[in-house]
Amino acid sequence: MNVVVIGGGAGGFFGAVTCAESDPSCRVTILEKGPNVLAKVRVSGGGRCNVTYACFDAKLLAQHYPRGGKALLGPYHRFGPQDTISWFEKRGVALKTEADGRIFPVTDRSQTIIDALTDAARQAGVTTRLNTRIVSIVRNEAKGFSIELSSGEKILCDRLLLATGSGRQGYEWAQALGHAILPPVPSLFTFTIDDGRLRGLAGTAAQKAQLRIKGTSLEQSGPVLITHWGLSGPAVLRLSAWGARVLQTLNYQAQLKINWLSLRDEDIQNQLESFRISHSTKLIGGHGPFELPRRLWERLAGVAVAPDQRWADLSKTQAKRLVQELGHGSYEIAGRGVFKEEFVTCGGVRLNQVGFKTMESRVCPGLYFAGEILDIDGITGGFNFQSVWTTAWLAGQAMAKPQKITA
């Protein structure tokens, strides 16, 4: 059987290796349009490659996906994070789990993962062709597919896996083969905010913030990192992921409400009053009652009080302004930034057109999908890679089987 995989990324390699190892008689070829393979793996996780996340309950794991979680529930029972860990460890890759649950190679080098995938492909007999430009893909009436290259060469195959990530061409091929595409839009991005309260505070983080996009139901809690261009951190990235389409319709311009403390107004007020009594002689800007970085507290307090004002002189009006600034700060989002070098999108092939037992198309027999070409995206932490490993493994297993499986 001839199997062609289009896309030399994580999904393409994982699907190709799985297929070739499941049935060594399969002739598996990866077609990659660029000069290198696994480019996204190389830059992921800041060059360390966040392989997966330490969540071993399929139901809990599926909750980390703004889109696609329900569809992934069954697949995660068949191939989840523990299977990913075992797959790489069997190939000599030692992994480590960090305090926040993210899993990386012990080497802290994405090259370790690249080597494991390319070595596995070589050992399984997978052929990789680089700089291969595809002109068209046609499904033959009898069976299989005809792939025409820019060189004029035609490649015939029995089964075809599209693992093209968020590339435009992959969507076009899927559409030409009968699939509906949800327009891709960015997910997992930072917020561009130009506000005097944040200037000069890059690198400062608030650990327990609550974020809300005014006029929407979008809300998230967690650490927030102040950057040179605005705000990042887990809470911001989760908010951008869950709100990807809403924020796109707003042209990435919205009012962000921040409760820097995740406390109710009355609790903030009570702590301010208690601190006023017990630290009456100290400067307000230099000493605060909350678990905030000192520079951030100084900047936020400076909105309500004078730099040389002491706690004993805090008026009720000033206390109210402090409560407002700490619990209801308003910041104008002027645009979106990228999350490191990574780029994640929501959108892609509609999930109801794919059978998630095999990842085979419901409308084009013999065609399979894996990874980000599907309308699946997760939050940061290794979840996007895990959906790639899982869908690619299922596709690889199914393509190796001699008879068609009903999805």
Side-chain angles (χ1 to χ4, degrees), residues 296-317:
L296 178 58
W297 162 257
E298 185 180 65
R299 191 66 61 82
L300 297 176
V303 175
V305 304
D308 59 350
Q309 188 170 339
R310 300 187 182 278
W311 277 101
D313 302 320
L314 182 69
S315 69
K316 288 185 178 180
T317 300

Side-chain angles (χ1 to χ4, degrees), residues 10 38-51 102 104-105 108-111 113-114 339-343 385 389:
L38 300 162
K40 196 166 183 178
V41 172
R42 186 175 303 281
V43 300
S44 68
R48 296 198 297 151
C49 189
N50 186 182
V51 177
R102 294 180 301 162
F104 293 90
D108 279 330
R109 295 177 64 245
S110 57
Q111 187 63 45
I113 303 302
I114 292 172
F339 174 49
K340 298 181 180 177
E341 300 89 352
E342 299 176 49
F343 186 69
F385 265 135
W389 309 133

Side-chain angles (χ1 to χ4, degrees), residues 8-335:
F13 266 81
F14 212 73
V17 170
T18 301
C19 180
E21 289 183 343
S22 297
D23 182 357
S25 69
C26 285
R27 292 183 293 276
V28 183
T29 303
I30 297 173
L31 303 181
E32 166 56 42
K33 68 177 180 180
N36 300 297
V37 296
L38 300 162
K40 196 166 183 178
V41 172
R42 186 175 303 281
V43 300
S44 68
R48 296 198 297 151
C49 189
N50 186 182
V51 177
T52 186
Y53 186 82
C55 178
F56 307 110
D57 182 307
K59 188 177 292 186
L60 292 177
L61 184 63
Q63 293 174 10
H64 292 83
Y65 295 83
R67 286 147 293 270
K70 184 177 180 181
L72 287 170
L73 183 57
Y76 279 160
H77 279 100
R78 295 182 60 196
F79 193 94
Q82 187 57 61
D83 300 295
T84 299
I85 293 168
S86 298
W87 193 96
F88 281 102
E89 288 185 340
K90 284 178 182 176
R91 289 158 178 81
V93 178
L95 299 172
K96 61 177 179 178
T97 303
E98 300 198 338
D100 59 3
R102 294 180 301 162
I103 296 177
F104 293 90
V106 169
T107 60
D108 279 330
R109 295 177 64 245
S110 57
Q111 187 63 45
T112 303
I113 303 302
I114 292 172
D115 290 343
L117 291 167
T118 53
D119 288 348
R122 185 165 50 251
Q123 291 173 17
V126 174
T127 300
T128 303
R129 294 180 58 172
L130 303 177
N131 298 308
T132 305
R133 299 283 173 171
I134 297 172
V135 174
S136 66
I137 302 172
V138 178
R139 188 173 189 279
N140 298 325
E141 289 188 12
K143 70 166 189 173
F145 300 85
S146 174
I147 303 167
E148 183 178 353
L149 307 184
S150 58
S151 63
E153 178 186 357
K154 286 189 177 180
I155 299 175
L156 303 179
C157 64
D158 302 292
R159 288 171 181 173
L160 175 67
L161 172 61
L162 288 182
T164 50
S166 57
R168 176 183 55 82
Q169 273 196 320
Y171 297 136
E172 291 176 352
W173 293 327
Q175 198 165 28
L177 292 168
H179 294 83
I181 305 297
L182 287 168
V185 300
S187 178
L188 204 62
F189 50 84
T190 61
F191 295 158
T192 300
I193 297 173
D194 185 13
D195 192 292
R197 290 166 291 178
L198 304 179
R199 286 190 205 115
L201 297 183
T204 302
Q207 298 301 319
K208 298 178 180 179
Q210 287 181 343
L211 307 182
R212 178 171 58 87
I213 302 294
K214 187 176 179 180
T216 75
S217 61
L218 298 173
E219 200 172 319
Q220 285 292 330
S221 300
V224 171
L225 174 68
I226 300 173
T227 68
H228 292 290
W229 61 88
L231 294 176
S232 183
V236 170
L237 295 170
R238 286 197 296 268
L239 191 61
S240 74
W242 290 97
R245 291 207 176 276
V246 172
L247 289 166
Q248 191 264 345
T249 62
L250 295 173
N251 198 30
Y252 307 105
Q253 296 178 356
Q255 190 175 105
L256 177 68
K257 304 291 285 187
I258 303 181
N259 181 333
W260 291 100
L261 306 168
S262 292
L263 293 175
R264 298 178 303 170
D265 287 0
E266 52 264 46
D267 294 327
I268 297 174
Q269 178 67 53
N270 290 339
Q271 290 194 44
L272 288 173
E273 177 60 18
S274 176
F275 204 79
R276 185 187 71 80
I277 294 171
S278 61
H279 296 76
S280 58
T281 62
K282 292 184 177 179
L283 295 177
I284 296 175
H287 301 84
F290 306 106
E291 292 182 10
L292 281 176
R294 180 168 176 172
R295 289 197 302 155
L296 178 58
W297 162 257
E298 185 180 65
R299 191 66 61 82
L300 297 176
V303 175
V305 304
D308 59 350
Q309 188 170 339
R310 300 187 182 278
W311 277 101
D313 302 320
L314 182 69
S315 69
K316 288 185 178 180
T317 300
Q318 289 174 324
K320 285 182 180 179
R321 285 209 297 266
L322 265 177
V323 171
Q324 183 68 23
E325 193 62 36
L326 292 165
H328 305 275
S330 292
Y331 298 82
E332 294 297 327
I333 300 173

